[in-house]
Amino acid sequence: MKASSTNSTILCSKLYIFIWVFFAALILFSRSYASPKEEKLMEYTQTKPYFGAYVTIHCFYSAKTNIAGIINDCWQKVEEMQNNMNVYSETGEIAKINKFGTFGVVVSESVFKLLTSSIAYSGLSGGAFDITVFPLVKLWKDAAGKAHLPDSKEIEEARSRVGFGKVILEAPNRVILCKKGMQIDLGGIVSGYACDQIAHILEAGGIANFMIDTGGEIFAKGKNKGSMPWTIGVQDPQDKNALLMTIELNNECVSTSGNYEKFYMIGSQRFSHIINPLTGYPQKDVISATVIAKTGTQADALSTALCVLGGIKSELLVSSLENVEALIVEYKEGKLITYNTGRFSSHQ
Ligand code: AMP
Ligand code: MG
């Protein structure tokens, strides 16, 4: 799960997502929210704290919908995911894998599927995205707590317990960690996965117009108020009060990862919470990576991966994928460089 903060760790809320949904224009519209078929739509919106951030479910639905039941199922699913998939949770399946993984652990179908996807994103990104990175995440987090940089020996030791190739996924449901001390951290993918799970429940309940915001990700489908596009603003990573651009989303997710609001301080040095599993050090160059993809899982995993890969490799990876667009803002050798594809290309 997303790392929590300690006294000497500055790890701001994932609300840094720099993505705001625009409601302002809606004031111009009547409050009856007529859909194109002129059906009067009702509105539900609620925000709750999950995944070290805030999750918002916002939807427009027909009065005939069993909204209470559907929304209850959504929040129950989120609660379940937080307990079951959080690396910091004492209970749940990830905790079980992290304690007994070397003996082999039988997990649920959903955890097995998410682990399988996670490993696939590791392969796709050449190991930039790696859910086994936790020994390094912990090392750097503890270093921030002690205000003391880890030495190369400690980094090498932690790195020896990292590597997606040391995870065996035995169908249909068994997980084996090949090295003692390995630990799984789904923090880079679980909130995007949560978007997909919530979207699935809403769709199955017949809700066609919704927006889910997990702090780092926004998934939107259908129309805002039943009649207008869901429009999100991409925040300028260098200026919280400014937007780089706006984008219309439909049946897509946008996810942002970066180091400008979520980071560790060790002494006077600032370190990203995203670690390069191949070097053992926090990634340095990418200020933010924003990805649009068809699923929350893909957008979330890729935005984390692109932070590690950096602009040039990210552009290559993204251009090889269908229906994936990205905006990467990098600060390297004193220069700000922007890489963009697809709809982000309108940003210079
Ligand atoms: P996100 O904010 O989605 O980019 O996820 C960041 C979180 O993912 C961190 O707080 C860690 O828990 C975890 N993480 C850090 N580095 C990596 C990495 N290289 N691959 C996968 N997960 C990572
Ligand atoms: Mg991510």
Side-chain angles (χ1 to χ4, degrees):
M1 205 63 43
K2 311 296 172 190
S4 59
S5 59
T6 64
N7 284 347
S8 51
T9 305
I10 299 174
L11 204 49
C12 300
S13 149
K14 245 204 133 187
L15 283 175
Y16 75 106
I17 176 64
F18 23 145
I19 295 179
W20 308 318
V21 178
F22 290 131
F23 297 108
L26 309 179
I27 295 161
L28 302 171
F29 286 73
S30 90
R31 309 262 321 156
S32 62
Y33 311 138
S35 73
K37 288 179 195 152
E38 295 307 321
E39 186 193 10
K40 198 173 161 186
L41 296 177
M42 316 288 281
E43 180 175 13
Y44 169 87
T45 183
Q46 193 166 4
T47 300
K48 297 188 183 191
Y50 281 108
F51 308 122
Y54 287 93
V55 174
T56 298
I57 301 174
H58 186 191
C59 61
F60 295 90
Y61 60 95
S62 145
K64 292 173 230 145
T65 311
N66 166 23
I67 190 71
I70 295 164
I71 290 299
N72 188 46
D73 288 352
C74 289
W75 288 118
Q76 224 177 307
K77 178 60 100 183
V78 177
E79 177 84 29
E80 188 189 300
M81 278 187 280
Q82 172 155 281
N83 295 335
N84 201 30
M85 297 180 175
N86 184 347
V87 68
Y88 298 102
S89 166
E90 284 296 310
T91 55
E93 295 180 79
I94 296 305
K96 205 167 150 196
I97 296 172
N98 289 346
K99 276 185 200 143
F100 308 113
T102 47
F103 303 105
V105 170
V106 170
V107 295
S108 61
E109 192 186 336
S110 58
V111 166
F112 194 81
K113 270 193 182 159
L114 185 55
L115 293 176
T116 306
S117 303
S118 299
I119 303 287
Y121 288 116
S122 295
L124 189 71
S125 64
F129 181 84
D130 192 333
I131 53 166
T132 68
V133 76
F134 192 67
L136 288 164
V137 169
K138 187 165 184 320
L139 181 71
W140 286 95
K141 191 169 182 251
D142 289 350
K146 291 187 274 194
H148 194 269
L149 283 172
D151 62 34
S152 54
K153 243 173 119 182
E154 289 171 306
I155 292 170
E156 274 318 297
E157 190 286 318
R159 218 166 65 84
S160 75
R161 292 183 280 125
V162 171
F164 68 97
K166 294 178 228 157
V167 180
I168 298 174
L169 298 176
E170 245 177 39
N173 56 10
R174 197 155 171 265
V175 183
I176 305 158
L177 302 181
C178 293
K179 186 143 191 198
K180 203 165 167 255
M182 281 182 76
Q183 283 185 300
I184 302 281
D185 173 8
L186 295 174
I189 196 167
V190 76
S191 47
Y193 176 72
C195 283
D196 296 339
Q197 294 295 301
I198 299 168
H200 183 71
I201 295 170
L202 294 172
E203 281 163 4
I207 298 176
N209 304 295
F210 58 82
M211 187 276 298
I212 304 150
D213 181 348
T214 55
E217 291 69 38
I218 290 182
F219 188 104
K221 187 165 182 187
K223 295 271 164 72
N224 192 351
K225 308 233 176 229
S227 60
M228 304 198 320
W230 290 103
T231 307
I232 57 105
V234 181
Q235 191 187 315
D236 184 342
Q238 296 202 299
D239 179 358
K240 272 185 185 174
N241 300 314
L243 293 180
L244 288 180
M245 62 193 302
T246 62
I247 283 172
E248 288 181 10
L249 279 188
N250 190 5
N251 206 12
E252 304 167 293
C253 184
V254 60
S255 169
T256 300
S257 295
N259 71 9
Y260 68 98
E261 282 211 31
K262 197 171 175 186
F263 53 85
Y264 299 115
M265 289 302 291
I266 307 180
S268 58
Q269 278 180 280
R270 181 175 151 148
F271 293 94
S272 172
H273 67 296
I274 296 171
I275 315 289
N276 183 339
L278 306 170
T279 63
Y281 285 81
Q283 73 86 14
K284 270 206 316 250
D285 300 334
V286 174
I287 302 175
S288 77
T290 299
V291 173
I292 299 176
K294 285 285 170 198
T295 68
T297 307
Q298 186 178 30
D300 193 1
L302 285 178
S303 64
T304 306
L306 301 194
C307 286
V308 173
L309 288 174
I312 294 171
K313 285 186 187 163
S314 291
E315 237 181 11
L316 276 174
L317 173 61
V318 169
S319 60
S320 75
L321 300 170
E322 259 181 52
N323 297 319
V324 177
E325 297 159 58
L327 170 69
I328 301 122
V329 181
E330 200 173 75
Y331 187 76
K332 213 170 170 181
E333 289 152 16
K335 272 193 269 171
L336 199 66
I337 313 163
T338 301
Y339 299 84
N340 43 31
T341 75
R343 275 167 283 176
F344 291 114
S345 301
S346 62
H347 171 73
Q348 292 310 317

